[in-house]
Amino acid sequence: MKRKAKTTKSIVIAALSAVIMLTGWQPAGKAEAAANAVPSYEVKFLLNADRVLNQDQTLQDQVKETFRIEEPAARMLVEYFDTGSLDLNGSGWNVRFRKKEDKKKYEMTYKKRYAIVNGDINAALDQANRDGFSAADTNYDAEIDWGYGKQTLSFSNDKEVSAAKGLMLPSEKDALEILVNNIPGKLDKTNGSGWGTAVLKKSYAHGPVSVSKYSGTFDGLKTDIELWPIVSADGNGTENIIEISFKTDDYTTAASSRTKLLNLLEGKGWLVPADSLKTNLVLERY
């Protein structure tokens, strides 16, 4: 009886060995970590409002000619949602609600940010990967925001719902309900399960800001100039924040065209030598 059992066991082992040789099957083991996300690049600089705007707050002709801007500015309303103490922002999240005049949809963006220290993009990507933002997650677009003096890694989850064409936002209550109903899992689970939903429900609209966006080209790349008239620090007027930007998937292109754009803006006296903080200004002043 024992001899028969031993013979049967030998046959089973031989059969399994044959399967492994033919199929390359491996026993279950530790899963390999997902690869880091591959980011695109958005280069951004600030423009001096006194040097590039007409008195009616439109772009001067020399700026339009330089960047081959031929169409009138597109208009949109933008607001951010956060608590009075900016709990979302403090945990690296921005929640944006936007309506473009010519689109039949509301656009929501949930963005997670990581600081890039001393240009070490890989370190930021490694940290994001540990937090679950990897190449395996196709719900988020990874991007390096490359400004005058700093870089920031961001992961954006974009969603939209149908709306009427025109320049109008829903009520604050309705916009917040839409944002809560569409909250992505990673935001909701930040700092613990359900944290994101709880904080977002306590948030209010910071804004809206009526933004004008001009589209042109520079160095063969689509280039945008946005005018953000943001309430001034004393609340008695507005401060014009003007941002020029272009996007590319390639680091070498981003670096090369960034240098060219920086030199052009400095040469014409249009550059503000600082990084853009428009999102923080909106959150703080509204």
Side-chain angles (χ1 to χ4, degrees):
M1 186 71 178
K2 290 183 178 180
R3 180 180 178 82
K4 182 177 180 181
K6 185 175 181 180
T7 301
T8 301
K9 183 177 180 180
S10 298
I11 293 173
V12 171
I13 292 174
L16 285 173
S17 297
V19 170
I20 291 172
M21 291 178 65
L22 290 171
T23 66
W25 177 84
Q26 295 288 337
K30 186 177 180 180
E32 291 186 10
N36 282 350
V38 178
S40 59
Y41 299 85
E42 182 172 17
V43 172
K44 300 178 179 180
F45 290 118
L46 289 175
L47 302 182
N48 187 324
D50 294 335
R51 302 297 299 271
V52 302
L53 291 184
N54 297 309
Q55 288 190 347
D56 63 357
Q57 308 302 295
T58 59
L59 277 183
Q60 293 182 7
D61 287 343
Q62 60 176 332
V63 180
K64 292 181 180 180
E65 292 169 1
T66 298
F67 297 104
R68 300 179 182 179
I69 296 170
E70 299 178 354
E71 298 295 328
R75 299 192 300 163
M76 55 186 169
L77 292 174
V78 182
E79 57 189 6
Y80 293 88
F81 279 77
D82 207 335
T83 62
S85 54
L86 305 183
D87 294 291
L88 293 172
N89 189 58
S91 290
W93 285 94
N94 291 142
V95 176
R96 184 183 70 192
F97 196 97
R98 181 171 67 184
K99 179 64 175 68
K100 296 178 180 177
E101 185 176 27
D102 61 341
K103 302 295 183 182
K104 293 184 177 181
K105 58 187 177 183
Y106 296 129
E107 300 174 347
M108 298 89 71
T109 297
Y110 308 81
K111 180 182 288 188
K112 173 66 172 175
R113 307 180 319 276
Y114 292 89
I116 295 174
V117 181
N118 297 324
D120 194 345
I121 293 174
N122 287 330
L125 288 170
D126 288 342
Q127 179 58 57
N129 198 333
R130 289 191 289 271
D131 292 343
F133 295 94
S134 68
D137 191 342
T138 58
N139 293 318
Y140 288 82
D141 294 323
E143 184 175 82
I144 304 295
D145 296 325
W146 195 348
Y148 178 76
K150 72 175 185 178
Q151 296 174 318
T152 302
L153 170 64
S154 67
F155 290 83
S156 296
N157 183 308
D158 297 320
K159 299 184 180 183
E160 58 188 45
V161 296
S162 297
K165 192 174 182 179
L167 200 61
M168 183 176 294
L169 290 170
S171 68
E172 182 179 55
K173 178 182 177 181
D174 289 344
L176 184 56
E177 183 177 357
I178 293 171
L179 287 167
V180 170
N181 289 341
N182 287 277
I183 189 170
K186 283 187 173 60
L187 171 53
D188 189 39
K189 296 174 183 176
T190 301
N191 300 326
S193 179
W195 177 87
T197 295
V199 172
L200 190 53
K201 284 183 175 180
K202 295 186 294 184
S203 299
Y204 64 89
H206 297 254
V209 180
S210 180
V211 180
S212 298
K213 180 178 180 179
Y214 297 86
S215 294
T217 59
F218 174 77
D219 203 25
L221 298 167
K222 181 179 180 297
T223 302
D224 295 322
I225 298 178
E226 292 185 357
L227 167 60
W228 288 61
I230 296 174
V231 171
S232 57
D234 61 11
N236 294 322
T238 57
E239 177 183 355
N240 287 320
I241 304 298
I242 307 173
E243 189 177 85
I244 184 169
S245 65
F246 66 79
K247 295 184 179 183
T248 177
D249 292 333
D250 180 63
Y251 174 85
T252 301
T253 300
S256 173
S257 295
R258 177 183 179 277
T259 299
K260 293 176 184 178
L261 180 57
L262 177 62
N263 291 338
L264 171 68
L265 298 177
E266 286 181 329
K268 290 185 174 292
W270 295 346
L271 179 72
V272 175
D275 287 297
S276 178
L277 297 172
K278 69 177 188 297
T279 300
N280 285 343
L281 290 179
V282 175
L283 288 171
E284 293 166 0
R285 295 181 182 179
Y286 290 82

